Amino acid sequence: MDGRESPGCCDPDDGLELEAVATGDAAFVETELARFARALGHPARVRILQLLIERNACIAGELSGVLPLSPATVSEHLKILKTAGLIKGAIDGPRRSYCVNKATLKHFKKMVREL
């Protein structure tokens, strides 16, 4: 894992729709919280998120070099985290880069605190 930044991966968030969290739409908050919990329901995904937070930058390279998992398994875990909106990814030629979606992570933390 080389930790080099990839252009575009960690650009500012592109208008993520989280207004319902701020307005207190309970059904939306419950659905979103459950979605995040499912995405973090595996220790490998928790570790991947921790690695991305620790780096505070895009990670370009093989996370499987740091995790005891095959590249295909890491890829599946990344896909789940990305689908949940907890991470962002970019493709730059043959390289794939990932970083934490800071806005989503901030809202997730807020929802957990307000449980």
Side-chain angles (χ1 to χ4, degrees):
M1 184 165 62
D2 58 22
R4 288 181 282 178
E5 293 214 20
S6 174
C9 179
C10 294
D11 288 344
D13 294 310
D14 53 3
L16 189 59
E17 296 294 328
L18 293 171
E19 292 85 16
V21 174
T23 62
D25 181 344
F28 178 83
V29 171
E30 291 163 358
T31 300
E32 289 298 286
L33 190 53
R35 183 171 58 95
F36 295 141
R38 278 191 304 276
L40 292 172
H42 191 285
R45 292 192 290 271
V46 172
R47 183 65 187 133
I48 289 169
L49 191 61
Q50 287 173 328
L51 288 168
L52 292 171
I53 291 168
E54 288 169 9
R55 289 283 207 191
N56 196 28
C58 290
I59 293 180
E62 292 298 320
L63 282 167
S64 59
V66 211
L67 300 167
L69 303 169
S70 72
T73 301
V74 170
S75 179
E76 183 62 27
H77 287 308
L78 287 165
K79 178 182 172 189
I80 291 166
L81 290 169
K82 188 174 177 185
T83 299
L86 291 166
I87 66 172
K88 298 186 289 183
I91 300 172
D92 183 21
R95 298 175 61 89
R96 294 179 188 267
S97 301
Y98 297 93
C99 63
V100 173
N101 185 330
K102 292 177 184 177
T104 303
L105 187 60
K106 179 180 175 182
H107 284 288
F108 170 61
K109 288 178 179 180
K110 181 179 184 230
M111 286 187 280
V112 170
R113 278 192 306 270
E114 293 176 358
L115 272 178

